[in-house]
Amino acid sequence: MVLKNQTLIKKMTLEEKAAMMSGKDTWSTVSYENIGIPSMFLADGPHGLRKQAGASDHLGLNASLPATCFPTAATVANSWDEKLGEELGEYLGEEAVSLGVNVVLGPGLNIKRSPLCGRNFEYFSEDPYLSGKMAAAYIRGIQSKGVAACPKHFAANNQELRRMASDSVVDERTFREIYTTGFEIAIKEGKAKAIMSSYNLINGIYANENAHLLQEILVDEWGFDGIVVSDWGGSNDHVLGVKHGSHLEMPSTGKMGVKEILKGIESGRLKEEVLDKRVDELLTVILDTQKAIKDGKGKVIDKTKHHEFARKVARESIVLLKNDGNILPLNQGTKVTVIGDFAETPRYQGAGSSLVNPTRLETTLNVFDESGLILNSYEKGYERNKETNEKLIEQAKIAANQSEYVLIYAGLDEISESEGMDRTHMRLPQNQIKLIEEISKVNKNVIVVLSAGSAIEMPWIHHVKAVVHGSLGGQAGASAMLDVLTGTYCPSGKLNETYPLKYEDTPAFKYFPGKERSSEYRESLFVGYRYYETIGINVLFPFGFGLSYTKFSYSDLNVSKEGVTFCIKNIGFYDGAEIPQLYIGKQSDKIFRPIRELKGFTKVFLKFGEERQVTIPFDDKTFRYFNIHTNKWELESGVYTISIGKNATEMVLQSEIMVDGTDAMSPYLKENLPAYFSGMITNVDDNQFEQILNSPIPYGGWDKDGLIDVNDTICQLYYAKSWFARFVYKVITSIKNSSEKKGKPNLNILFIYNMPFRGIAKMTGGRINMGMVKALVEIANGRELTGFYHFITSAIKKER
């Protein structure tokens, strides 16, 4: 085996090579400057760089250096614009170089399995194709500046509850078609130099030690030649991780990681040549990214230019959801009343490790004068995370009654969307709902401006004339929204996820989140629109939906073996962009399928009256499915329906094509899987789930002996036998609940709450080792004296 950095590696001792597999501190790698190995810095950056100025912490509680806060991934995905995503990546890469960041930890492209996942704001879509294409674009842009992108979290990481210890029980076909296809596109088309493994287990094996995931799929099938970085505290068996393809456990585990590797080599669990290979691959990324940092660190960024680009991204990602009577756009000089705390204190990003310290921050009120509208008055209307304030509503009603138009700024507050916690419902805060209903009684021209990173229910929507969704628009989102409201820009965004009428309609309603050890993905392929469209459930807004101030007509569909061509014409009175979407479907008695699946899209800008021919090519993912018996991608022979849609529901052009398949034996018997062949997956029985799993359903509950073990999370101290452990649980829970009541999640407490005991050893920089952790578990299980003794003796051994 020839190593690229063989000369360097020969200069390193075994202990030095082992040390390279763990971080030096929270954000950087071990360096050996004497032999030419510099340190590499990693920083969060899904929508802006978060490099901390002082003491480091994973969740961003400590201040970070100012950086442009671009719109979140959930916002940018509404643009459906790969070129825009790549340009955004270039801006991120430029800021990374300036700040001395070698690896940008992003983008995040986990699938929005449920609207309630607390981190959906950080992810692109419910669809893997859209997610993958946007992620690949970001990656190309970031890496064009000489630094590395690190897409995350690989894979099937779809809930925050017990995220560090939850087992995603998912059938292989669904795993490949839904939960890893986006990553496949990101790796193959984006050429990512790094990837972050997720916290969770996948069918019983932790992602960071999963040979099937990290070797068989990532390396052998996709040809990945970069590095795998653990999520922070997500390395569980360090030796097994290195053996199966993980290169870097983060953060630093002190001397513990080195000792584990050395012991693994001594015992034969890990071969030194495998360690050398991992070191070589890590050194390649370190050295490849170092030139850009050396040449560009400290370079002054044009903050105004970056801010204006953030405005452009936000503007092109805004989705017009309702526009009764063409109330929008508002004419210059129109007098309006603005209501809602979000106009004064915007929701422009999520909470958690992606938190950015913006270079500047617009609010609607401080940029309103630039819009050409006239502000009659502003009223707060509601208080964040508090009960309905009738006095504020009455004041808002008085103002609304004296105005021709009302803009209500509403959305999900900070406590609703955060890393470390899932949402409990899909509603807006009740005080905002009450405000919208009451204002609508005194003014018929109400326009609601939404800020939220994931889908919400809108039972109030019939009360208002228009709804404009800005998602989480970043630091320039306020002016971008006013550009759309006034017609300076014609809205062109389309939803990256379905908005159901109510949460109970969602496919994973009965399965999400997994509340004990496992989370069972019984809905299989039927995620998002794949479910709603297949069984014909009415939704509030379908996947891919978005209105415009202009109109488009479609014609002349032609289908060939290479792809589809058709014509689009702007038949309205505004210049604008349209996003035609290619969907593929097939009726089959052998392979269960959703009625249609997204397999291509493009964004086309047309001046009013302009017509253009559009081409969307087929690719290797257009007709494939994953066969769990042959364990590879196959093609089913037969006739496929080719549809061009404005969204997942509204097909405007259709044709058919005959495809010659691979004629692999079907892995299913239709009569044995009625739920899956019909799409009626909300009550899948054990027998059918086991058939698609191709194995028995693993036991997913707590330990039957009632004892805590190192893989159990801190929140399970509720069940502990020790009074002291239960007291600790009460203290942690009290702090957590108190922060939630204040409307500002305590991110460190949320991290601890969902962290398994073994994570203590991985997140304390080696100060607490696994022996000490096992002693803490003994204490929790009621063996206090024994546990305290073992804790002390383990601490003494650690110091030797």
Side-chain angles (χ1 to χ4, degrees):
M1 179 176 60
V2 178
L3 302 177
K4 186 175 182 180
N5 302 286
Q6 186 126 13
T7 303
L8 268 180
I9 292 171
K10 283 183 176 180
K11 296 178 182 179
M12 301 174 72
T13 66
L14 180 59
E15 186 171 338
E16 287 174 334
K17 290 186 290 187
M20 289 291 295
M21 298 291 96
S22 300
K24 179 172 68 176
D25 49 37
T26 306
W27 297 111
S28 57
T29 61
V30 171
S31 61
Y32 297 106
E33 300 286 353
N34 60 313
I35 58 171
I37 299 176
S39 181
M40 178 173 74
F41 196 94
L42 303 87
D44 285 303
H47 57 270
L49 274 294
R50 187 177 69 86
K51 183 176 183 181
Q52 291 174 302
S56 297
D57 72 286
H58 170 48
L59 290 170
L61 295 182
N62 296 325
S64 58
L65 297 170
T68 309
C69 182
F70 296 100
T72 68
T75 308
V76 184
N78 287 338
S79 75
W80 293 60
D81 191 334
E82 294 175 72
K83 291 181 181 178
L84 186 71
E86 186 164 345
E87 194 175 358
L88 173 54
E90 292 171 3
Y91 277 80
L92 286 170
E94 185 180 343
E95 294 198 20
V97 170
S98 174
L99 291 171
V101 173
N102 302 69
V103 180
V104 178
L105 300 174
L109 62 152
N110 294 100
I111 293 298
K112 299 181 183 183
R113 179 189 175 211
S114 167
L116 298 190
C117 174
R119 214 167 175 180
N120 276 353
F121 65 85
E122 207 173 319
Y123 303 141
F124 289 114
S125 178
E126 68 186 31
D127 181 83
Y129 195 86
L130 176 58
S131 295
K133 288 292 186 177
M134 293 302 296
Y138 272 52
I139 293 164
R140 287 193 297 270
I142 291 168
Q143 296 190 165
S144 71
K145 300 301 180 181
V147 294
C150 184
K152 60 185 183 183
H153 309 87
F154 191 50
N157 177 220
N158 307 105
Q159 68 179 57
E160 291 299 286
L161 180 66
R162 299 191 73 255
R163 61 178 179 164
M164 295 181 77
S166 178
D167 185 6
S168 298
V169 180
V170 55
D171 68 281
E172 186 68 10
R173 182 182 172 200
T174 299
F175 185 61
R176 303 303 298 277
E177 293 187 23
I178 302 295
Y179 295 101
T180 60
T181 287
F183 286 100
E184 177 185 359
I185 296 170
I187 296 301
K188 288 183 175 180
E189 298 182 17
K191 307 295 183 185
K193 295 179 180 179
I195 191 168
M196 183 188 290
S197 59
S198 57
Y199 284 128
N200 53 288
L201 300 91
I202 302 159
N203 295 323
I205 302 173
Y206 280 102
N208 195 60
E209 292 92 49
N210 196 311
H212 177 53
L213 182 69
L214 302 185
Q215 276 296 315
E216 294 172 7
I217 296 175
L218 183 61
V219 174
D220 299 343
E221 186 178 326
W222 298 350
F224 179 70
D225 60 359
I227 61 169
V228 175
V229 182
S230 78
D231 203 342
W232 268 233
S235 169
N236 309 285
D237 183 329
H238 190 32
V239 172
L240 199 60
V242 172
K243 179 181 179 180
H244 289 161
S246 182
H247 300 78
L248 183 60
E249 68 168 6
M250 293 296 288
S252 170
T253 56
K255 296 178 181 179
M256 185 171 65
V258 177
K259 290 178 180 178
E260 288 175 353
I261 296 295
L262 295 178
K263 187 176 179 181
I265 289 174
E266 184 181 344
S267 67
R269 286 186 70 209
L270 179 66
K271 295 180 180 179
E272 187 172 355
E273 53 263 38
V274 173
L275 174 62
D276 287 350
K277 187 173 188 298
R278 298 289 174 263
V279 171
D280 184 54
E281 291 159 343
L282 178 58
L283 284 174
T284 297
V285 175
I286 292 173
L287 298 174
D288 282 354
T289 58
Q290 195 60 27
K291 184 180 185 303
I293 301 300
K294 186 178 180 180
D295 294 344
K297 185 176 180 181
K299 179 183 176 183
V300 177
I301 295 296
D302 186 337
K303 294 180 181 178
T304 300
K305 179 183 176 183
H306 283 230
H307 182 82
E308 285 305 310
F309 180 73
R311 179 177 180 175
K312 175 186 177 183
V313 175
R315 190 169 53 215
E316 296 188 21
S317 304
I318 289 169
V319 184
L320 179 61
L321 294 176
K322 183 178 181 180
N323 192 23
D324 283 0
N326 292 324
I327 189 174
L328 293 174
L330 298 173
N331 294 324
Q332 296 286 302
T334 300
K335 295 180 179 180
V336 300
T337 291
V338 173
I339 300 173
D341 183 51
F342 280 22
E344 184 177 10
T345 309
R347 261 299 316 282
Y348 63 99
Q349 64 175 324
S353 60
S354 66
L355 199 68
V356 178
N357 178 16
T359 56
R360 59 186 274 201
L361 178 60
E362 297 178 351
T363 74
T364 299
L365 297 184
N366 69 24
V367 298
F368 200 84
D369 289 346
E370 303 168 16
S371 69
L373 302 174
I374 297 173
L375 181 63
N376 260 353
S377 62
Y378 163 71
E379 295 293 339
K380 192 180 186 75
Y382 57 84
E383 296 174 290
R384 272 171 161 84
N385 205 50
K386 291 188 178 181
E387 297 296 322
T388 300
N389 186 319
E390 296 292 347
K391 182 179 179 180
L392 290 180
I393 289 181
E394 285 305 312
Q395 291 172 342
K397 287 174 70 176
I398 292 170
N401 195 36
Q402 297 171 353
S403 184
E404 186 177 0
Y405 295 93
V406 175
L407 295 175
I408 297 180
Y409 280 74
L412 297 178
D413 52 32
E414 288 79 0
I415 203 66
S416 299
E417 299 180 287
S418 174
E419 179 176 353
M421 60 187 296
D422 295 310
R423 295 161 66 194
T424 57
H425 58 75
M426 279 181 58
R427 302 182 298 277
L428 287 180
Q430 184 56 40
N431 57 3
Q432 294 186 27
I433 295 174
K434 180 73 179 296
L435 174 70
I436 292 169
E437 292 173 345
E438 290 298 314
I439 296 300
S440 299
K441 292 177 182 178
V442 299
N443 191 305
K444 300 305 178 186
N445 292 321
V446 175
I447 300 157
V448 174
V449 177
L450 288 174
S451 298
S454 48
I456 56 175
E457 296 171 2
M458 301 184 200
W460 43 264
I461 195 169
H462 61 282
H463 292 301
V464 304
K465 282 281 185 69
V467 179
V468 192
H469 201 342
S471 299
L472 299 178
Q475 66 180 51
S479 59
M481 178 57 70
L482 289 168
D483 286 343
V484 168
L485 292 173
T486 58
T488 303
Y489 180 81
C490 180
S492 62
K494 299 207 172 190
L495 295 175
N496 64 69
E497 62 182 315
T498 309
Y499 275 51
L501 287 167
K502 59 184 186 300
Y503 176 56
E504 290 78 7
D505 290 339
T506 60
F509 170 64
K510 293 186 178 179
Y511 315 130
F512 179 95
K515 291 183 173 63
E516 295 192 357
R517 286 191 184 278
S518 66
S519 180
E520 295 178 355
Y521 289 50
R522 294 196 181 216
E523 71 277 8
S524 185
L525 304 173
F526 298 94
V527 176
Y529 73 88
R530 286 169 165 80
Y531 169 68
Y532 303 114
E533 298 301 322
T534 298
I535 68 170
I537 286 185
N538 290 329
V539 298
L540 181 61
F541 298 113
F543 172 79
F545 177 85
L547 300 175
S548 174
Y549 295 152
T550 192
K551 294 181 179 180
F552 301 92
S553 66
Y554 290 68
S555 63
D556 303 328
L557 175 63
N558 181 58
V559 180
S560 70
K561 291 183 178 180
E562 286 73 39
V564 299
T565 59
F566 52 93
C567 291
I568 297 181
K569 184 175 183 180
N570 184 339
I571 58 173
F573 300 100
Y574 291 85
D575 298 345
E578 174 67 327
I579 304 167
Q581 301 156 38
L582 169 65
Y583 293 91
I584 305 294
K586 186 184 188 307
Q587 291 186 340
S588 175
D589 290 332
K590 295 181 179 179
I591 309 296
F592 65 82
R593 301 171 179 271
I595 192 171
R596 65 181 67 98
E597 298 180 275
L598 182 74
K599 297 296 181 178
F601 62 90
T602 189
K603 192 164 189 174
V604 185
F605 179 83
L606 298 169
K607 292 185 174 295
F608 70 90
E610 184 182 359
E611 183 175 20
R612 189 181 306 170
Q613 186 178 71
V614 176
T615 298
I616 301 179
F618 296 151
D619 60 24
D620 63 330
K621 298 164 190 68
T622 304
F623 301 107
R624 73 180 190 179
Y625 76 95
F626 193 84
N627 189 304
I628 61 172
H629 282 180
T630 64
N631 198 37
K632 63 181 183 179
W633 296 100
E634 303 284 3
L635 296 178
E636 184 183 9
S637 297
V639 176
Y640 288 76
T641 301
I642 309 296
S643 303
I644 303 298
K646 292 186 175 182
N647 53 67
T649 298
E650 187 181 359
M651 300 299 114
V652 292
L653 298 173
Q654 280 195 331
S655 186
E656 293 180 339
I657 188 172
M658 182 69 187
V659 173
D660 294 327
T662 52
D663 297 321
M665 181 179 294
S666 170
Y668 311 117
L669 288 175
K670 183 177 181 179
E671 57 268 29
N672 292 344
L673 298 170
Y676 293 110
F677 274 89
S678 67
M680 303 291 289
I681 45 72
T682 53
N683 284 295
V684 174
D685 60 49
D686 289 354
N687 180 52
Q688 291 186 71
F689 189 43
E690 286 187 342
Q691 286 189 59
I692 68 166
L693 280 177
N694 209 22
S695 67
I697 301 169
Y699 174 70
W702 308 131
D703 285 347
K704 294 178 181 179
D705 59 11
L707 297 176
I708 303 290
D709 66 34
V710 294
N711 293 312
D712 287 326
T713 51
I714 305 300
C715 64
Q716 287 171 244
L717 287 177
Y718 174 83
Y719 303 101
K721 294 187 176 182
S722 164
W723 68 268
F724 180 74
R726 293 194 301 273
F727 173 75
V728 171
Y729 168 82
K730 287 181 180 179
V731 171
I732 293 172
T733 304
S734 176
I735 298 171
K736 170 180 169 290
N737 293 342
S738 176
S739 69
E740 290 174 6
K741 286 180 181 178
K742 293 176 182 176
K744 188 174 182 180
N746 187 317
L747 301 176
N748 272 347
I749 288 295
L750 286 173
F751 188 85
I752 293 168
Y753 192 76
N754 289 297
M755 182 173 67
F757 278 87
R758 56 175 166 69
I760 297 172
K762 297 294 182 177
M763 292 297 292
T764 53
R767 297 176 185 88
I768 297 178
N769 62 24
M770 278 304 298
M772 297 161 76
V773 168
K774 290 175 181 178
L776 292 174
V777 169
E778 284 188 289
I779 294 170
N781 286 324
R783 297 191 291 271
E784 287 91 347
L785 291 177
T786 304
F788 280 121
Y789 172 77
H790 287 156
F791 186 90
I792 293 168
T793 55
S794 294
I796 292 171
K797 288 179 182 178
K798 178 179 74 71
E799 296 303 322
R800 290 175 180 171

